[in-house]
Amino acid sequence: MLNFDENFYPQSSLRVAVAQATSVSGNIPENVNSAVSMIEYAAQKGADIIVFPEKFLTGYVPEIIMSDYSRYTITENDDRLGPIRTACKVHEICAIIGTPTQSNNSIYISSVVIDNSGVDILTYHKTHLFSSEKNIFKSDDKLNILNIKGWNIGLGICYDAGFSEHSRVLAQSGCHAYIVSSLFSKGTGYLESRIWFPARALDNTIYAVMVNHAGKTGVWDACGSSAIWNPFGQLIAEASETEPEVIIVDLDPNQLREARNAENMLVDSFDVQHNSEKIETIRMN
């Protein structure tokens, strides 16, 4: 069981930038340039980490990806991410980039994490695939926790957040925040996001961060409204419904303390066995 003493909590706040963005379908270089601009802006505001939407580098356009896997997927140490790596190094900021990836002849929906020295330190693959994704992409049951400035960040991608056990296992393994790159559309998608993320935050007494697309991507009309919820499940920041923008929030360790002193769901969940052997924690310098 986790021991929620002072050694568990981060010693300082973490400034998170949520990059609600519009992708140019199939144009990886153009989307990389957009990411660099947002990274530079976030760094000017003092952000420690910036996160982008699901499949941001291509847009949510599976038909384009299927037309040429080598062109529309990112591989290990892909040169096309060079400008992002440089921006992260120059501005000393970590970035989570949503993109299709290819590894060992399999195609994944992934988050590539580049640290503040410009090095690719991990690639998280989506665990729970939506029904329309299963004939194209492969899932992966390995979970990841990113450690930055004493904060343990559990990674998710969109549909992952609909499964309470996904964030629960991460929280039981010591995560303080749950950051999820997403595509939620207007209507049902918006409703899902407003149910899932406050619940994931409150159930686990962690911060929940959701970043969404703005505008159209493929056949989807995204609902925007990227947001952050505190460990009580309360909304603390929200982007517009339609426009690209970067919203920035300081995650406060004191709110973690307050929530975990008031709410016992996570502590009581240890009465149920969980499997953390497939979780890998990556620590930044």
Side-chain angles (χ1 to χ4, degrees):
M1 178 182 293
L2 288 177
N3 182 10
F4 297 140
D5 60 17
E6 281 304 303
N7 293 324
F8 171 79
Y9 296 103
Q11 298 304 303
S12 61
S13 62
L14 183 73
R15 182 160 290 185
V16 176
V18 177
Q20 179 167 290
T22 300
S23 296
V24 180
S25 294
N27 193 331
I28 292 178
E30 183 63 27
N31 294 326
V32 165
N33 289 338
S34 295
V36 168
S37 296
M38 287 181 151
I39 288 168
E40 291 172 346
Y41 173 83
Q44 290 171 3
K45 299 297 184 180
D48 299 300
I49 186 169
I50 183 169
V51 56
F52 289 85
E54 179 182 21
K55 289 197 283 191
F56 168 69
L57 290 189
T58 60
Y60 199 99
V61 282
E63 65 277 10
I64 292 178
I65 297 165
M66 291 175 66
S67 71
D68 189 338
Y69 288 137
S70 62
R71 182 177 179 183
Y72 297 112
T73 60
I74 295 296
T75 55
E76 186 176 2
N77 298 317
D78 199 301
D79 289 341
R80 290 171 292 180
L81 297 185
I84 295 177
R85 296 188 187 101
T86 298
C88 288
K89 182 177 181 178
V90 168
H91 298 289
E92 298 182 333
I93 185 173
C94 177
I96 300 175
I97 308 295
T99 181
T101 62
Q102 184 173 179
S103 177
N104 298 322
N105 297 316
S106 295
I107 308 299
Y108 299 91
I109 299 171
S110 307
S111 291
V112 176
V113 180
I114 300 172
D115 73 4
N116 56 9
S117 64
V119 175
D120 300 15
I121 56 172
L122 71 89
T123 299
Y124 167 71
H125 301 312
K126 191 173 186 177
T127 303
H128 297 89
L129 296 176
F130 196 64
S131 57
S132 60
E133 298 168 340
K134 291 181 180 180
N135 62 336
I136 306 170
F137 301 99
K138 185 177 180 180
S139 63
D140 189 344
D141 61 359
K142 185 176 182 180
L143 303 183
N144 288 113
I145 292 176
L146 172 67
N147 182 276
I148 173 172
K149 290 183 64 175
W151 285 81
N152 291 325
I153 307 297
L155 301 182
I157 300 176
C158 202
Y159 199 41
D160 287 339
F163 297 83
S164 60
E165 62 271 21
H166 188 268
S167 58
R168 173 52 54 85
V169 171
L170 290 166
Q172 288 177 327
S173 298
C175 135
H176 305 109
Y178 185 47
I179 292 184
V180 181
S181 299
S182 304
L183 167 62
F184 286 101
S185 60
K186 293 179 179 178
T188 303
Y190 177 82
L191 176 63
E192 289 172 345
S193 73
R194 266 48 199 175
I195 294 173
W196 294 354
F197 289 95
R200 302 298 86 86
L202 178 59
D203 287 352
N204 299 301
T205 49
I206 56 177
Y207 281 93
V209 178
M210 185 276 288
V211 56
N212 197 16
H213 289 258
K216 294 277 289 186
T217 180
V219 301
W220 302 97
D221 193 3
C223 64
S225 304
S226 301
I228 301 100
W229 291 263
N230 70 16
F232 288 101
Q234 298 165 324
L235 180 68
I236 55 176
E238 185 175 26
S240 73
E241 295 181 7
T242 58
E243 299 301 317
E245 62 179 299
V246 178
I247 58 174
I248 296 176
V249 166
D250 290 328
L251 307 189
D252 182 358
N254 290 323
Q255 282 217 308
L256 287 171
R257 291 186 184 91
E258 292 171 9
R260 293 191 173 182
N261 286 334
E263 302 289 349
N264 294 321
M265 286 86 75
L266 181 59
V267 172
D268 292 340
S269 75
F270 282 93
D271 294 336
V272 179
Q273 293 296 314
H274 72 288
N275 181 5
S276 61
E277 64 185 22
K278 291 185 177 296
I279 296 179
E280 180 180 9
T281 298
I282 305 297
R283 300 187 182 277
M284 291 178 55
N285 294 327

